[in-house]
Structure formats: C-alpha cells, structure tokens
Amino acid sequence: MLCIISGNMRVITDEGSWITPPGQACWVPSEANHLVTFTQSSEFRTISIRSDLLTDLPKKCCVIKLSPLLRELILTAIKIGWDYRLESYEARLMQLLIEKIPLEKETPFFIPEGRDSRLKKVTSAMHENVRIDYTLKHWGNVAGASPRTLARLFELEMGMSFSTWRQQLCLLHAIEMLLKGQSITNTAFTLGYSSAGNFTSMFTQAMSKSPTAYLKEWNINKEIL
C-alpha cells in the first residue's frame, strides 16, 4: 500500500489509472502488474503485508481515504519496522492496521481504459489534453471513427458513457492541477469549463466539498503527516 504525504501519484495497470493525492493511499495487490508515476515532487510511505495475511484485504487496486486512525497506525508501524515479537503490543497494532484497511472508504479516483485501438487513440489524446467542451465529434476526427461508434465503445469497454468518462478525467486532472498550485479559475478554463462556477459545481458534486475546502483539508493533512 502506497500512502501519499505530499505531491501526487498515479498507479497504472491494464485496467486503468488510479490517482492518489495527499491524504489517500493506493492499495495494490501483490500479484498486480503496475507502474507508479509521480506528476510532481512527492513524498510517500509504503506498507508491505505478508501474503498469508491478505485474505480479507481488497483483491483489486483501489484508492482509499486515510482516516485519522489508519493514518496514525501507518506512521506508528513505520517507526516500529520489522523487528518485533509475534505476541507483543507491536504485533497487535499491526493486526489492527490490517483489519482497518478494508473498512476505509474508497474514493472516486479511478479512470478505466479500453482495448479497442480507436478508443485507445482517443483516450490517449484526452489524457494529454482533456476538455469538457470537446465532444465525441471532435474526438471522432482524431480516431477516424463516427461519434456513434465511439459512444458504443465507451459503454462497452469502459462501462460508462463518454460524458461520464470525460468528466471523471477532468476531475482527476483538476486535482493534479490544484495540487500544483494552479488557481481554480485557471484550472476551470484550462479544462474547458465556461466559468469557474460551473467547474466548482462539478468538483463539489464529485468530491462532496468545494475546491477551496479540498485544498484546505489537504494542507491540514500535510501538516499532520
């Protein structure tokens, strides 16, 4: 499990990408082939768990929000290290950490990927320059496919509509931009929103807090961690 203290991380697998901002952790199963990239200078902590203790833990990658208790358990576990007796207080603390992981709330920081070559051409281009005002017609010209074909591929391979996937990608890019110090207004216009207010409404609906509140919480967590 990779826990982000500052900066921002992406975990990429064949299924898609998980963005992990500060105050979150990305759970990666031991058998999952994955690539970790950092979109800015970052600080993180890694927790490794023995394979025989994974029974009740997630079977797939996921991003979870670190509750205050789990955060403290992780920091304490790192200080303890590997040198402790099996019947000790330290061992009980490690067991509590393991039991707490599957109880944490998953966060909506996953963007799936498809396999069709036309779809991959579109999503690759969108990762480089996503805008909420670029339609399927625009991306159809990039992929050499009709809007109807692309719409069908998004539903079939992503399990969601094009507009839902596009908004999710905009959200993930917005988080990365805000964490890098971009203003809310600049982030909104870069992503193609007609106003900062429209962008803020999208962000608040998805994250249950405004961009300003999100950044304030991140700064508090950064100080604690």
Side-chain angles (χ1 to χ4, degrees):
M1 186 166 69
L2 302 169
C3 312
I4 292 296
I5 294 176
S6 64
N8 192 57
M9 177 182 73
R10 287 186 188 181
V11 176
I12 303 169
T13 72
D14 291 338
E15 297 178 54
S17 304
W18 284 260
I19 180 176
T20 312
Q24 318 285 322
C26 187
W27 171 259
V28 183
S30 58
E31 72 279 2
N33 293 321
H34 63 282
L35 172 68
V36 178
T37 64
F38 297 92
T39 58
Q40 62 190 103
S41 179
S42 304
E43 184 179 358
F44 68 99
R45 301 288 185 270
T46 301
I47 296 294
S48 299
I49 299 174
R50 293 200 328 255
S51 58
D52 59 314
L53 300 175
L54 299 177
T55 303
D56 297 323
L57 296 178
K59 302 300 186 290
K60 294 185 177 181
C61 287
C62 61
V63 175
I64 60 175
K65 183 175 182 180
L66 293 176
S67 65
L69 175 56
L70 182 56
R71 183 175 59 228
E72 291 302 319
L73 287 170
I74 290 171
L75 294 176
T76 303
I78 290 171
K79 291 178 181 178
I80 293 172
W82 296 96
D83 188 18
Y84 58 88
R85 293 179 292 105
L86 293 180
E87 302 300 326
S88 64
Y89 161 79
E90 289 81 4
R92 294 194 297 273
L93 184 145
M94 297 295 187
Q95 183 60 42
L96 178 59
L97 188 159
I98 293 172
E99 293 174 0
K100 190 74 174 71
I101 292 173
L103 301 178
E104 298 298 276
K105 180 181 179 181
E106 288 193 32
T107 51
F109 295 146
F110 172 64
I111 189 78
E113 296 294 341
R115 297 182 181 280
D116 184 277
S117 59
R118 295 162 295 180
L119 189 60
K120 292 177 71 173
K121 185 179 292 186
V122 170
T123 57
S124 293
M126 290 179 73
H127 275 291
E128 293 298 323
N129 183 30
V130 62
R131 289 182 60 92
I132 200 70
D133 54 349
Y134 282 6
T135 65
L136 271 176
K137 182 178 181 180
H138 169 86
W139 294 115
N141 292 332
V142 172
S146 69
R148 178 177 296 182
T149 296
L150 287 179
R152 177 178 57 82
L153 288 171
F154 268 95
E155 293 283 1
L156 180 65
E157 298 203 13
M158 307 293 204
M160 62 180 69
S161 68
F162 163 75
S163 60
T164 299
W165 194 92
R166 179 184 58 187
Q167 180 171 299
Q168 182 71 358
L169 185 61
C170 281
L171 174 65
L172 301 187
H173 276 251
I175 291 172
E176 292 180 343
M177 293 173 69
L178 292 170
L179 291 176
K180 289 179 179 178
Q182 295 281 352
S183 69
I184 293 172
T185 299
N186 185 61
T187 299
F189 290 136
T190 299
L191 294 175
Y193 285 87
S194 59
S195 69
N198 287 341
F199 165 73
T200 297
S201 295
M202 178 282 293
F203 192 99
T204 303
Q205 183 176 7
M207 299 293 292
S208 300
K209 57 175 66 70
S210 69
T212 300
Y214 174 81
L215 289 173
K216 182 178 180 181
E217 181 183 55
W218 168 66
N219 284 322
I220 291 174
N221 285 335
K222 181 173 66 172
E223 291 173 2
I224 293 174
L225 287 167

